[in-house]
Amino acid sequence: MNRTLERGLTMIDVVIAGAGPNGLMLACELALAGVRPLVLEQLREPTVEQRANGLVGQVVRMLDRRGLYGRLTGSAAAPEPVPGFVFGAFPLDLHDLPDNPLYTLMVPQRRIEQMLAERAAELGVEIRRGHEVLGFTQDDTSVTVEATGMDAIEAAFLIGADGGHSVVRKLAGIDFPGITTDRSVSRSAHVSVPAAMVSPSGLTVSGFGLVPPFLHTRTERGIFVWAPLPGRDPLISVSEHDQPGEGEMTLDELRAAAKRVLGADVPLGPPTGAGPHLLRRLEGGNTRLASRYRDGRVLLVGDAAHVHSAIGGSGLNLGLQDAINLGWKLAAVQRGSAPEGLLDTYGTERRPVGERVTMHTQAQTVLTGPGGEITALRQLFGEMLDNAQSRRHIAALIAGADIVYDMGTATGPHVGRWAPDVPGLSELTRTGRPLLLDPTGELDAGPWADQVDLIAAPGLDTALLLRPDCYVAWEGTAPNGLDEALTLWFGKP
């Protein structure tokens, strides 16, 4: 859908700065909707640096609804909720929740990026590596982007998916308020340990006891995590306060940190499997949220819009859902079919979600801190988690399943929620098109039939109009309000 300008230049629909998972997901969503983006990435090759270890939350099911979940698992099976998780170093028992909303998928971030790059290529997306955005100018109709190693590019929109240090955000003059902490020190490494210490129950440390796998084991001196990752060397992480390091991180430094936190020696050796291997020290942390997600024809997704602690694994859930929310709206604007103000709903819907994630990651950071006063707080919080309703609330918070968007005049008791799991829905939503699920056989999309797919759904109790991001834009058993909702989200016919 690229256009030729009167002066002979070709205008690109959308330039995306950043070929991480968020930029690639947005590129796939745009391409599904018939818009051809150009992705610019400053790295010449995909990074092998160890980053996220998997996906947590609503995005696991959303990938299934785009037909991408099976590409990561190698299985045709649908996602299943997990019986337990962790929140603020508390084990979160979810097995007794009849509507458990929490899904996870343990897969390294580099594999997620590889899969999304493959999907983008299938959809015709061009990814140019070795080009860093240096500057841009914009007016009411376009953005002119300057990047290293190439001529200036004219595009209808520029997307900053270029991480927490986003050049696009800084050039746009978008504030990034928040807090910076400098007391915390986290050390992580792939390691080997004596086989006798390892069992399905966890890691048995002489002088301390059992450390369960994948949970945050807290003492009054810090946090210890044992993560026996499938098919890879196990990962150990130790977090504490006021213990800065010097020079390059070493295994000896990690051993010393583990002894301080557990009060016992942990015999750590170097990893024995194929790399890449992690050996990293992180000091301090940032929690920041962009003051706005849009400046004219420039928009932010993912870490460019928000950074926070990695505790709880919410980062990719938040960023990928940003991309899915923005993709269909930006495509509609570019096609000329969007109602007025549609693009502004990206920020009004997604920024509050960023606020909730930064809130609960800060709360978890406090709960995992050292000291007797935190121990007292944890005692009270632990009593609250004995209540199933409290655990359901926390699980929905982590998953992002508690989000209900304000759908304006398209009101209803459940409008704005994420679409429930309906038989066959994951196949129907792979096109990224809006759906009208009709159990009555009496509805039609009318003049919107070229934009909205009408699907017979005899098993439903009520008809549902689903946006491409799978949020409910209207529901009912009669057509009252349906045309209003179609106009609100997909424009006048």
Side-chain angles (χ1 to χ4, degrees), residues 184-241:
S184 64
V185 184
S186 174
R187 297 172 172 90
S188 304
H190 287 106
V191 299
S192 60
V193 297
M197 296 177 62
V198 181
S199 72
S201 300
L203 182 73
T204 300
V205 178
S206 178
F208 177 81
L210 182 68
V211 177
F214 300 109
L215 300 180
H216 294 80
T217 297
R218 177 194 175 267
T219 73
E220 291 199 358
R221 298 170 295 278
I223 292 288
F224 184 95
V225 178
W226 161 250
L229 301 167
R232 288 176 282 168
D233 287 294
L235 183 72
I236 282 181
S237 293
V238 181
S239 299
E240 52 189 339
H241 283 183

Side-chain angles (χ1 to χ4, degrees), residues 40 162 213 282 308 456:
L40 301 181
D162 49 345
L282 296 176
H308 52 83

